[in-house]
Amino acid sequence: MERFFDRHPLQPADVARVVLTLLPSAHPREFILDRTNWKYGQTDVNVLLLAVIWRGVAIPLLYELLPHGGGSNTEIRHTLMDDALCLLSAADIRVLYADREFIGYDWIQGLAHRGIPICVRLRSDTLLDDWTAQDWLSRLQTGTAGLLVEDTVVYGQPMNVVLTYTQDGEALIIASNAGTVTTNQSRYRRRFLIECLFRALKSKGFQLEGTHMTLHDHVERLLCLLTLTYTWCVLVGVTLECPKKAHGRRAWSVVKMGLRELVRSFSRESVRLCGLIDLLMVSHTTSPETVGY
């Protein structure tokens, strides 16, 4: 085990290629960019992660370990997206979802240069043409749900923008150069799928932060293994029936159900294990039905 984490040549790009093969899509894919971090003692473990959405579930694809705590910079984000473009073309990317950490002129211009559409939440001080988003919100009349602004310039790119407030009274500004202005807000909700992914990798599932690994290469190889395991859990979970709660959502996540089934089958040496292994064959993963968490 120690030799594996020290020396094995396993690379994120190789794992990502396997993941995309196991999760076929007849249409351009949706991606989410976000960051997760934890501390072990005084050491920060900070991961910038690109996830792909498949059948309503966010699945880890590529990652960069940041050598510091706090946010990522434009250069390392572009590096991650260039790694993705080594595996698929820009035409295969329907949209990239991102939150307020992932803004800035150079970042947005870099995505446009690469042909990658984005749907991003903006800060209230972001300029839309010559006005800040907060200036636009100040024009919102009482009783009006929000403002829809089409073809306004955001970080040098023409975008459609939705401006409104959350139930807590916080400004919510969503900009996108993919799709119509009326769908921005509903589509942006898919960004929260990556929060479910992080919970499954960490406290609600694989306990990633409990491994006490901090060395760059060790954490990277661990993430490679977790990515393959997580993908297998999803492939298993989507085959299982799950009861629905009163609000119509699943009682258990696809990942949790898949993990339980794999643990049960391995521990009992179940005859079903062969069938679960067969799910890692591409021919078994072609269904387009959305499952979600």
mmCIF file of all heavy atoms in Angstrom, residues 207-245:
data_model
loop_
_atom_site.group_PDB
_atom_site.id
_atom_site.type_symbol
_atom_site.label_atom_id
_atom_site.label_comp_id
_atom_site.label_asym_id
_atom_site.label_seq_id
_atom_site.Cartn_x
_atom_site.Cartn_y
_atom_site.Cartn_z
ATOM 1 N N GLN A 207 -15.126 9.594 3.871
ATOM 2 C CA GLN A 207 -14.286 10.148 4.938
ATOM 3 C C GLN A 207 -12.889 10.516 4.433
ATOM 4 O O GLN A 207 -11.867 10.216 5.064
ATOM 5 C CB GLN A 207 -14.164 9.146 6.091
ATOM 6 C CG GLN A 207 -15.491 8.708 6.694
ATOM 7 C CD GLN A 207 -16.162 9.818 7.495
ATOM 8 O OE1 GLN A 207 -15.504 10.684 8.030
ATOM 9 N NE2 GLN A 207 -17.488 9.779 7.562
ATOM 10 N N LEU A 208 -12.842 11.182 3.285
ATOM 11 C CA LEU A 208 -11.579 11.537 2.658
ATOM 12 C C LEU A 208 -10.659 12.304 3.593
ATOM 13 O O LEU A 208 -9.450 12.045 3.653
ATOM 14 C CB LEU A 208 -11.863 12.375 1.396
ATOM 15 C CG LEU A 208 -10.677 12.983 0.649
ATOM 16 C CD1 LEU A 208 -9.714 11.895 0.201
ATOM 17 C CD2 LEU A 208 -11.169 13.784 -0.550
ATOM 18 N N GLU A 209 -11.232 13.241 4.349
ATOM 19 C CA GLU A 209 -10.388 14.071 5.208
ATOM 20 C C GLU A 209 -9.840 13.299 6.406
ATOM 21 O O GLU A 209 -8.928 13.774 7.093
ATOM 22 C CB GLU A 209 -11.160 15.304 5.701
ATOM 23 C CG GLU A 209 -12.245 15.016 6.725
ATOM 24 C CD GLU A 209 -13.568 14.591 6.124
ATOM 25 O OE1 GLU A 209 -13.562 13.863 5.106
ATOM 26 O OE2 GLU A 209 -14.611 14.955 6.682
ATOM 27 N N GLY A 210 -10.368 12.104 6.664
ATOM 28 C CA GLY A 210 -9.912 11.296 7.790
ATOM 29 C C GLY A 210 -8.712 10.429 7.483
ATOM 30 O O GLY A 210 -8.217 9.705 8.365
ATOM 31 N N THR A 211 -8.202 10.468 6.249
ATOM 32 C CA THR A 211 -7.063 9.618 5.881
ATOM 33 C C THR A 211 -5.747 10.156 6.428
ATOM 34 O O THR A 211 -4.762 9.423 6.500
ATOM 35 C CB THR A 211 -6.934 9.526 4.352
ATOM 36 O OG1 THR A 211 -6.690 10.834 3.823
ATOM 37 C CG2 THR A 211 -8.201 8.948 3.739
ATOM 38 N N HIS A 212 -5.718 11.456 6.777
ATOM 39 C CA HIS A 212 -4.512 12.122 7.292
ATOM 40 C C HIS A 212 -3.398 12.221 6.251
ATOM 41 O O HIS A 212 -2.254 12.488 6.608
ATOM 42 C CB HIS A 212 -3.985 11.416 8.550
ATOM 43 C CG HIS A 212 -4.980 11.435 9.671
ATOM 44 N ND1 HIS A 212 -4.782 10.731 10.831
ATOM 45 C CD2 HIS A 212 -6.171 12.069 9.814
ATOM 46 C CE1 HIS A 212 -5.825 10.923 11.644
ATOM 47 N NE2 HIS A 212 -6.677 11.734 11.047
ATOM 48 N N MET A 213 -3.730 12.020 4.988
ATOM 49 C CA MET A 213 -2.737 12.214 3.933
ATOM 50 C C MET A 213 -2.616 13.701 3.626
ATOM 51 O O MET A 213 -3.619 14.410 3.525
ATOM 52 C CB MET A 213 -3.151 11.468 2.655
ATOM 53 C CG MET A 213 -2.975 9.979 2.712
ATOM 54 S SD MET A 213 -3.301 9.219 1.097
ATOM 55 C CE MET A 213 -3.016 7.491 1.495
ATOM 56 N N THR A 214 -1.387 14.164 3.426
ATOM 57 C CA THR A 214 -1.167 15.565 3.084
ATOM 58 C C THR A 214 -0.185 15.737 1.920
ATOM 59 O O THR A 214 -0.187 16.789 1.283
ATOM 60 C CB THR A 214 -0.613 16.348 4.297
ATOM 61 O OG1 THR A 214 0.605 15.732 4.745
ATOM 62 C CG2 THR A 214 -1.628 16.374 5.435
ATOM 63 N N LEU A 215 0.651 14.746 1.638
ATOM 64 C CA LEU A 215 1.611 14.851 0.541
ATOM 65 C C LEU A 215 0.880 14.911 -0.789
ATOM 66 O O LEU A 215 -0.061 14.141 -1.029
ATOM 67 C CB LEU A 215 2.583 13.675 0.550
ATOM 68 C CG LEU A 215 3.524 13.590 1.761
ATOM 69 C CD1 LEU A 215 4.404 12.357 1.660
ATOM 70 C CD2 LEU A 215 4.379 14.854 1.867
ATOM 71 N N HIS A 216 1.303 15.799 -1.670
ATOM 72 C CA HIS A 216 0.625 16.052 -2.935
ATOM 73 C C HIS A 216 0.374 14.773 -3.727
ATOM 74 O O HIS A 216 -0.757 14.467 -4.119
ATOM 75 C CB HIS A 216 1.452 17.045 -3.764
ATOM 76 C CG HIS A 216 0.868 17.354 -5.105
ATOM 77 N ND1 HIS A 216 0.931 16.486 -6.179
ATOM 78 C CD2 HIS A 216 0.189 18.446 -5.550
ATOM 79 C CE1 HIS A 216 0.333 17.012 -7.225
ATOM 80 N NE2 HIS A 216 -0.120 18.210 -6.871
ATOM 81 N N ASP A 217 1.430 13.999 -3.991
ATOM 82 C CA ASP A 217 1.289 12.804 -4.821
ATOM 83 C C ASP A 217 0.399 11.759 -4.158
ATOM 84 O O ASP A 217 -0.355 11.051 -4.838
ATOM 85 C CB ASP A 217 2.661 12.204 -5.119
ATOM 86 C CG ASP A 217 3.471 13.079 -6.065
ATOM 87 O OD1 ASP A 217 2.894 14.025 -6.637
ATOM 88 O OD2 ASP A 217 4.682 12.821 -6.223
ATOM 89 N N HIS A 218 0.484 11.638 -2.839
ATOM 90 C CA HIS A 218 -0.353 10.669 -2.125
ATOM 91 C C HIS A 218 -1.833 11.036 -2.243
ATOM 92 O O HIS A 218 -2.676 10.172 -2.521
ATOM 93 C CB HIS A 218 0.060 10.608 -0.654
ATOM 94 C CG HIS A 218 1.380 9.958 -0.432
ATOM 95 N ND1 HIS A 218 1.825 9.585 0.829
ATOM 96 C CD2 HIS A 218 2.372 9.604 -1.289
ATOM 97 C CE1 HIS A 218 3.022 9.013 0.723
ATOM 98 N NE2 HIS A 218 3.373 9.032 -0.547
ATOM 99 N N VAL A 219 -2.156 12.305 -2.020
ATOM 100 C CA VAL A 219 -3.557 12.747 -2.098
ATOM 101 C C VAL A 219 -4.074 12.607 -3.526
ATOM 102 O O VAL A 219 -5.214 12.186 -3.750
ATOM 103 C CB VAL A 219 -3.700 14.198 -1.611
ATOM 104 C CG1 VAL A 219 -5.136 14.689 -1.789
ATOM 105 C CG2 VAL A 219 -3.284 14.320 -0.151
ATOM 106 N N GLU A 220 -3.232 12.922 -4.495
ATOM 107 C CA GLU A 220 -3.651 12.816 -5.897
ATOM 108 C C GLU A 220 -3.980 11.372 -6.261
ATOM 109 O O GLU A 220 -4.990 11.092 -6.910
ATOM 110 C CB GLU A 220 -2.551 13.349 -6.817
ATOM 111 C CG GLU A 220 -2.964 13.417 -8.272
ATOM 112 C CD GLU A 220 -1.903 14.063 -9.126
ATOM 113 O OE1 GLU A 220 -0.945 13.357 -9.519
ATOM 114 O OE2 GLU A 220 -2.017 15.275 -9.398
ATOM 115 N N ARG A 221 -3.134 10.435 -5.838
ATOM 116 C CA ARG A 221 -3.402 9.020 -6.145
ATOM 117 C C ARG A 221 -4.634 8.522 -5.400
ATOM 118 O O ARG A 221 -5.408 7.712 -5.914
ATOM 119 C CB ARG A 221 -2.175 8.168 -5.804
ATOM 120 C CG ARG A 221 -0.992 8.446 -6.723
ATOM 121 C CD ARG A 221 0.192 7.536 -6.464
ATOM 122 N NE ARG A 221 1.309 7.879 -7.335
ATOM 123 C CZ ARG A 221 2.394 8.533 -6.956
ATOM 124 N NH1 ARG A 221 2.530 8.889 -5.674
ATOM 125 N NH2 ARG A 221 3.350 8.832 -7.814
ATOM 126 N N LEU A 222 -4.819 9.017 -4.176
ATOM 127 C CA LEU A 222 -6.020 8.645 -3.421
ATOM 128 C C LEU A 222 -7.272 9.151 -4.140
ATOM 129 O O LEU A 222 -8.281 8.429 -4.238
ATOM 130 C CB LEU A 222 -5.949 9.215 -2.008
ATOM 131 C CG LEU A 222 -7.164 8.950 -1.114
ATOM 132 C CD1 LEU A 222 -7.376 7.449 -0.914
ATOM 133 C CD2 LEU A 222 -6.999 9.642 0.237
ATOM 134 N N LEU A 223 -7.222 10.365 -4.652
ATOM 135 C CA LEU A 223 -8.362 10.910 -5.393
ATOM 136 C C LEU A 223 -8.634 10.105 -6.664
ATOM 137 O O LEU A 223 -9.794 9.922 -7.047
ATOM 138 C CB LEU A 223 -8.112 12.376 -5.737
ATOM 139 C CG LEU A 223 -8.249 13.361 -4.580
ATOM 140 C CD1 LEU A 223 -7.736 14.749 -4.986
ATOM 141 C CD2 LEU A 223 -9.700 13.458 -4.115
ATOM 142 N N CYS A 224 -7.586 9.609 -7.294
ATOM 143 C CA CYS A 224 -7.770 8.746 -8.460
ATOM 144 C C CYS A 224 -8.549 7.484 -8.089
ATOM 145 O O CYS A 224 -9.497 7.088 -8.788
ATOM 146 C CB CYS A 224 -6.411 8.364 -9.059
ATOM 147 S SG CYS A 224 -5.570 9.692 -9.937
ATOM 148 N N LEU A 225 -8.148 6.854 -6.992
ATOM 149 C CA LEU A 225 -8.841 5.647 -6.540
ATOM 150 C C LEU A 225 -10.284 5.956 -6.154
ATOM 151 O O LEU A 225 -11.217 5.204 -6.492
ATOM 152 C CB LEU A 225 -8.100 5.025 -5.358
ATOM 153 C CG LEU A 225 -6.704 4.474 -5.632
ATOM 154 C CD1 LEU A 225 -6.115 3.908 -4.350
ATOM 155 C CD2 LEU A 225 -6.735 3.411 -6.724
ATOM 156 N N LEU A 226 -10.492 7.058 -5.450
ATOM 157 C CA LEU A 226 -11.838 7.431 -5.038
ATOM 158 C C LEU A 226 -12.723 7.751 -6.236
ATOM 159 O O LEU A 226 -13.918 7.455 -6.234
ATOM 160 C CB LEU A 226 -11.793 8.627 -4.088
ATOM 161 C CG LEU A 226 -11.438 8.319 -2.635
ATOM 162 C CD1 LEU A 226 -11.381 9.609 -1.815
ATOM 163 C CD2 LEU A 226 -12.466 7.370 -2.018
ATOM 164 N N THR A 227 -12.143 8.363 -7.253
ATOM 165 C CA THR A 227 -12.913 8.670 -8.457
ATOM 166 C C THR A 227 -13.429 7.396 -9.114
ATOM 167 O O THR A 227 -14.607 7.305 -9.499
ATOM 168 C CB THR A 227 -12.048 9.461 -9.456
ATOM 169 O OG1 THR A 227 -11.728 10.731 -8.883
ATOM 170 C CG2 THR A 227 -12.780 9.674 -10.772
ATOM 171 N N LEU A 228 -12.569 6.388 -9.226
ATOM 172 C CA LEU A 228 -12.995 5.117 -9.814
ATOM 173 C C LEU A 228 -14.044 4.434 -8.939
ATOM 174 O O LEU A 228 -15.046 3.901 -9.438
ATOM 175 C CB LEU A 228 -11.784 4.206 -9.999
ATOM 176 C CG LEU A 228 -10.770 4.656 -11.057
ATOM 177 C CD1 LEU A 228 -9.517 3.793 -10.993
ATOM 178 C CD2 LEU A 228 -11.384 4.597 -12.448
ATOM 179 N N THR A 229 -13.820 4.460 -7.628
ATOM 180 C CA THR A 229 -14.775 3.834 -6.704
ATOM 181 C C THR A 229 -16.112 4.565 -6.722
ATOM 182 O O THR A 229 -17.179 3.938 -6.747
ATOM 183 C CB THR A 229 -14.201 3.823 -5.274
ATOM 184 O OG1 THR A 229 -12.925 3.202 -5.278
ATOM 185 C CG2 THR A 229 -15.129 3.086 -4.327
ATOM 186 N N TYR A 230 -16.054 5.886 -6.701
ATOM 187 C CA TYR A 230 -17.277 6.698 -6.721
ATOM 188 C C TYR A 230 -18.071 6.416 -7.995
ATOM 189 O O TYR A 230 -19.301 6.259 -7.955
ATOM 190 C CB TYR A 230 -16.887 8.169 -6.638
ATOM 191 C CG TYR A 230 -18.031 9.125 -6.436
ATOM 192 C CD1 TYR A 230 -18.349 9.592 -5.163
ATOM 193 C CD2 TYR A 230 -18.776 9.588 -7.508
ATOM 194 C CE1 TYR A 230 -19.390 10.479 -4.972
ATOM 195 C CE2 TYR A 230 -19.824 10.477 -7.333
ATOM 196 C CZ TYR A 230 -20.119 10.927 -6.059
ATOM 197 O OH TYR A 230 -21.160 11.795 -5.879
ATOM 198 N N THR A 231 -17.373 6.348 -9.131
ATOM 199 C CA THR A 231 -18.044 6.066 -10.399
ATOM 200 C C THR A 231 -18.705 4.700 -10.368
ATOM 201 O O THR A 231 -19.852 4.532 -10.827
ATOM 202 C CB THR A 231 -17.026 6.132 -11.557
ATOM 203 O OG1 THR A 231 -16.414 7.429 -11.570
ATOM 204 C CG2 THR A 231 -17.700 5.884 -12.886
ATOM 205 N N TRP A 232 -18.025 3.720 -9.802
ATOM 206 C CA TRP A 232 -18.605 2.373 -9.700
ATOM 207 C C TRP A 232 -19.840 2.401 -8.805
ATOM 208 O O TRP A 232 -20.860 1.783 -9.116
ATOM 209 C CB TRP A 232 -17.556 1.404 -9.156
ATOM 210 C CG TRP A 232 -17.904 -0.052 -9.340
ATOM 211 C CD1 TRP A 232 -18.936 -0.579 -10.075
ATOM 212 C CD2 TRP A 232 -17.217 -1.167 -8.790
ATOM 213 N NE1 TRP A 232 -18.932 -1.949 -10.017
ATOM 214 C CE2 TRP A 232 -17.883 -2.346 -9.229
ATOM 215 C CE3 TRP A 232 -16.100 -1.302 -7.963
ATOM 216 C CZ2 TRP A 232 -17.468 -3.620 -8.868
ATOM 217 C CZ3 TRP A 232 -15.677 -2.576 -7.613
ATOM 218 C CH2 TRP A 232 -16.350 -3.715 -8.050
ATOM 219 N N CYS A 233 -19.776 3.140 -7.707
ATOM 220 C CA CYS A 233 -20.944 3.250 -6.825
ATOM 221 C C CYS A 233 -22.140 3.838 -7.566
ATOM 222 O O CYS A 233 -23.284 3.394 -7.387
ATOM 223 C CB CYS A 233 -20.613 4.128 -5.614
ATOM 224 S SG CYS A 233 -19.498 3.361 -4.428
ATOM 225 N N VAL A 234 -21.887 4.840 -8.394
ATOM 226 C CA VAL A 234 -22.979 5.444 -9.171
ATOM 227 C C VAL A 234 -23.551 4.433 -10.166
ATOM 228 O O VAL A 234 -24.774 4.300 -10.299
ATOM 229 C CB VAL A 234 -22.483 6.707 -9.906
ATOM 230 C CG1 VAL A 234 -23.555 7.230 -10.862
ATOM 231 C CG2 VAL A 234 -22.105 7.791 -8.905
ATOM 232 N N LEU A 235 -22.669 3.723 -10.854
ATOM 233 C CA LEU A 235 -23.133 2.730 -11.833
ATOM 234 C C LEU A 235 -23.968 1.644 -11.166
ATOM 235 O O LEU A 235 -24.950 1.150 -11.753
ATOM 236 C CB LEU A 235 -21.927 2.099 -12.536
ATOM 237 C CG LEU A 235 -21.108 3.027 -13.442
ATOM 238 C CD1 LEU A 235 -19.862 2.310 -13.947
ATOM 239 C CD2 LEU A 235 -21.947 3.521 -14.602
ATOM 240 N N VAL A 236 -23.603 1.269 -9.939
ATOM 241 C CA VAL A 236 -24.390 0.281 -9.195
ATOM 242 C C VAL A 236 -25.684 0.914 -8.684
ATOM 243 O O VAL A 236 -26.771 0.348 -8.814
ATOM 244 C CB VAL A 236 -23.576 -0.294 -8.022
ATOM 245 C CG1 VAL A 236 -24.464 -1.191 -7.148
ATOM 246 C CG2 VAL A 236 -22.376 -1.072 -8.532
ATOM 247 N N GLY A 237 -25.585 2.102 -8.120
ATOM 248 C CA GLY A 237 -26.736 2.741 -7.506
ATOM 249 C C GLY A 237 -27.877 3.022 -8.462
ATOM 250 O O GLY A 237 -29.050 2.933 -8.087
ATOM 251 N N VAL A 238 -27.558 3.362 -9.715
ATOM 252 C CA VAL A 238 -28.631 3.674 -10.663
ATOM 253 C C VAL A 238 -29.414 2.433 -11.075
ATOM 254 O O VAL A 238 -30.504 2.553 -11.659
ATOM 255 C CB VAL A 238 -28.079 4.382 -11.919
ATOM 256 C CG1 VAL A 238 -27.451 5.711 -11.564
ATOM 257 C CG2 VAL A 238 -27.093 3.500 -12.680
ATOM 258 N N THR A 239 -28.894 1.246 -10.773
ATOM 259 C CA THR A 239 -29.622 0.018 -11.111
ATOM 260 C C THR A 239 -30.593 -0.396 -10.018
ATOM 261 O O THR A 239 -31.382 -1.324 -10.214
ATOM 262 C CB THR A 239 -28.634 -1.141 -11.363
ATOM 263 O OG1 THR A 239 -28.004 -1.507 -10.124
ATOM 264 C CG2 THR A 239 -27.581 -0.761 -12.382
ATOM 265 N N LEU A 240 -30.529 0.267 -8.852
ATOM 266 C CA LEU A 240 -31.314 -0.163 -7.699
ATOM 267 C C LEU A 240 -32.563 0.683 -7.529
ATOM 268 O O LEU A 240 -32.553 1.891 -7.766
ATOM 269 C CB LEU A 240 -30.454 -0.068 -6.425
ATOM 270 C CG LEU A 240 -29.126 -0.838 -6.448
ATOM 271 C CD1 LEU A 240 -28.332 -0.535 -5.195
ATOM 272 C CD2 LEU A 240 -29.375 -2.330 -6.595
ATOM 273 N N GLU A 241 -33.640 0.041 -7.113
ATOM 274 C CA GLU A 241 -34.877 0.759 -6.812
ATOM 275 C C GLU A 241 -34.720 1.480 -5.481
ATOM 276 O O GLU A 241 -34.164 0.941 -4.526
ATOM 277 C CB GLU A 241 -36.052 -0.210 -6.739
ATOM 278 C CG GLU A 241 -36.421 -0.842 -8.077
ATOM 279 C CD GLU A 241 -36.981 0.167 -9.053
ATOM 280 O OE1 GLU A 241 -37.601 1.153 -8.589
ATOM 281 O OE2 GLU A 241 -36.789 -0.010 -10.275
ATOM 282 N N CYS A 242 -35.235 2.708 -5.421
ATOM 283 C CA CYS A 242 -35.130 3.490 -4.191
ATOM 284 C C CYS A 242 -36.464 4.136 -3.872
ATOM 285 O O CYS A 242 -37.073 4.767 -4.744
ATOM 286 C CB CYS A 242 -34.063 4.574 -4.339
ATOM 287 S SG CYS A 242 -33.818 5.571 -2.855
ATOM 288 N N PRO A 243 -36.960 3.962 -2.640
ATOM 289 C CA PRO A 243 -38.222 4.616 -2.267
ATOM 290 C C PRO A 243 -38.072 6.134 -2.279
ATOM 291 O O PRO A 243 -36.976 6.668 -2.106
ATOM 292 C CB PRO A 243 -38.480 4.088 -0.851
ATOM 293 C CG PRO A 243 -37.139 3.688 -0.336
ATOM 294 C CD PRO A 243 -36.369 3.203 -1.523
ATOM 295 N N LYS A 244 -39.173 6.816 -2.488
ATOM 296 C CA LYS A 244 -39.189 8.277 -2.512
ATOM 297 C C LYS A 244 -39.812 8.812 -1.228
ATOM 298 O O LYS A 244 -40.723 8.213 -0.663
ATOM 299 C CB LYS A 244 -39.998 8.776 -3.708
ATOM 300 C CG LYS A 244 -39.467 8.326 -5.060
ATOM 301 C CD LYS A 244 -38.165 9.011 -5.403
ATOM 302 C CE LYS A 244 -37.650 8.592 -6.770
ATOM 303 N NZ LYS A 244 -38.480 9.073 -7.877
ATOM 304 N N LYS A 245 -39.295 9.951 -0.780
ATOM 305 C CA LYS A 245 -39.874 10.632 0.364
ATOM 306 C C LYS A 245 -41.111 11.421 -0.073
ATOM 307 O O LYS A 245 -41.430 11.480 -1.256
ATOM 308 C CB LYS A 245 -38.837 11.564 0.999
ATOM 309 C CG LYS A 245 -37.673 10.828 1.663
ATOM 310 C CD LYS A 245 -36.747 11.802 2.368
ATOM 311 C CE LYS A 245 -35.617 11.071 3.093
ATOM 312 N NZ LYS A 245 -34.705 12.003 3.807
#
